[in-house]
Amino acid sequence: MKKEFWNDSVVVITGASSGIGKALLEELAVYPCQLVLLARRAGDITEPEAKHKNCLLHRVTCDLSDPSSVQDAIEWTRKRVDLVDVLFNNAGITAHGRFDSLTMEVYQKTFATNFFGPIQFIKGLLPLVATAKGNIVTTSTVSALYGVPGRAAYSASKSALHAALESLRIESLEAGIGVSLVCVPYTDTALRTSGLTADGKVLSEAPAKGKRKSAKEVAQVLMAVAKDKEARLVTFNLSGKFLEWMRFFSPKFLEKILYKKLYNDFKTH
């Protein structure tokens, strides 16, 4: 009988206190495994009702935008686990505003959380992932596939992360490490109420219009991707696949679509 993939595994989740990270915690806690859970407010990470009696939770405070905090989390994890079977790189921040209105501080804050923090953290735990021949699964966005109007800082930070992790994937072929990027669609999370405005204030926007995925649905897809070392760039639905293909075959047409669909997000007042 084949052993359940998650049994006795060591799983690291960033952004575990809310949204998709919290959903991953709830889905994985039913297995006898170790979960290393990182969040800026680790005290907000609650214990799931359905937790397996042999599921061990480690709560770690980590602010991905702060290099010293990231290093502390790396060292804490290295001292307590010998390997990492799956690293869910999930935490992130959005930033909304026109290219000409975004301050450099917003670019810096967005890159600190979405690029430099994850890169530092992944680098720090890479030896543990290599020991397990494990998988790195990154929660990303279709906004990383093309520069989206009104999202220059967000798109740029996620695109940069894609490029770096694609390099890592190729370099890790002999090591047996899986590196996957999952571009999730609009999801019911607090992303739009915890991001940044063009001048660096806290973003407070209504949820995106249209059908949205639940955090649980996204978590289940991320878990399926974690089992597949051949998974590379994963898109959820037709809109994601459309953008993925049109960026190559007809970028001019794609830009017209983005202009029309997102005009209210970047129009001048």
Side-chain angles (χ1 to χ4, degrees), residues 63-142:
D63 180 353
L64 282 175
S65 68
D66 180 355
S68 63
S69 179
V70 175
Q71 188 58 39
D72 287 345
I74 291 169
E75 292 175 4
W76 191 100
T77 305
R78 282 174 168 174
K79 289 177 182 177
R80 286 163 178 80
V81 300
D82 297 322
L83 54 80
V84 172
D85 293 289
V86 180
L87 166 53
F88 285 109
N89 176 42
N90 176 71
I93 191 171
T94 191
H96 294 186
R98 288 173 56 91
F99 179 91
D100 56 8
S101 65
L102 287 161
T103 66
M104 290 309 300
E105 288 76 13
V106 168
Y107 273 103
Q108 290 160 355
K109 288 180 180 178
T110 306
F111 268 79
T113 300
N114 292 350
F115 180 76
F116 290 112
I119 291 297
Q120 180 186 355
F121 190 65
I122 292 168
K123 275 175 55 67
L125 294 192
L126 198 57
L128 300 184
V129 178
T131 297
K133 295 187 183 298
N135 290 354
I136 299 167
V137 180
T138 295
T139 303
S140 189
T141 169
V142 293

Side-chain angles (χ1 to χ4, degrees), residues 118-192:
I119 291 297
Q120 180 186 355
F121 190 65
I122 292 168
K123 275 175 55 67
L125 294 192
L126 198 57
L128 300 184
V129 178
T131 297
K133 295 187 183 298
N135 290 354
I136 299 167
V137 180
T138 295
T139 303
S140 189
T141 169
V142 293
S143 298
L145 302 178
Y146 207 87
V148 174
R151 306 286 188 275
Y154 182 54
S155 285
S157 63
K158 289 292 190 176
S159 294
L161 186 61
H162 276 218
L165 294 182
E166 286 163 354
S167 296
L168 172 62
R169 181 193 302 130
I170 298 167
E171 295 166 0
S172 301
L173 287 174
E174 292 182 357
I177 297 173
V179 181
S180 305
L181 298 156
V182 185
C183 296
V184 305
Y186 289 133
T187 307
D188 279 323
T189 68
L191 190 68
R192 284 180 172 236

Side-chain angles (χ1 to χ4, degrees), residues 47-63:
E47 188 160 313
E49 293 181 6
K51 186 174 81 70
H52 193 285
K53 64 179 181 179
N54 293 325
C55 178
L56 183 60
L57 305 184
H58 303 289
R59 296 173 177 84
V60 186
T61 299
C62 180
D63 180 353

Side-chain angles (χ1 to χ4, degrees), residues 140-142 183-187 211-213 218 235-237 239:
S140 189
T141 169
V142 293
C183 296
V184 305
Y186 289 133
T187 307
K211 189 175 181 180
R212 299 188 299 277
K213 294 288 185 183
V218 174
T235 51
F236 266 67
N237 53 18
S239 63

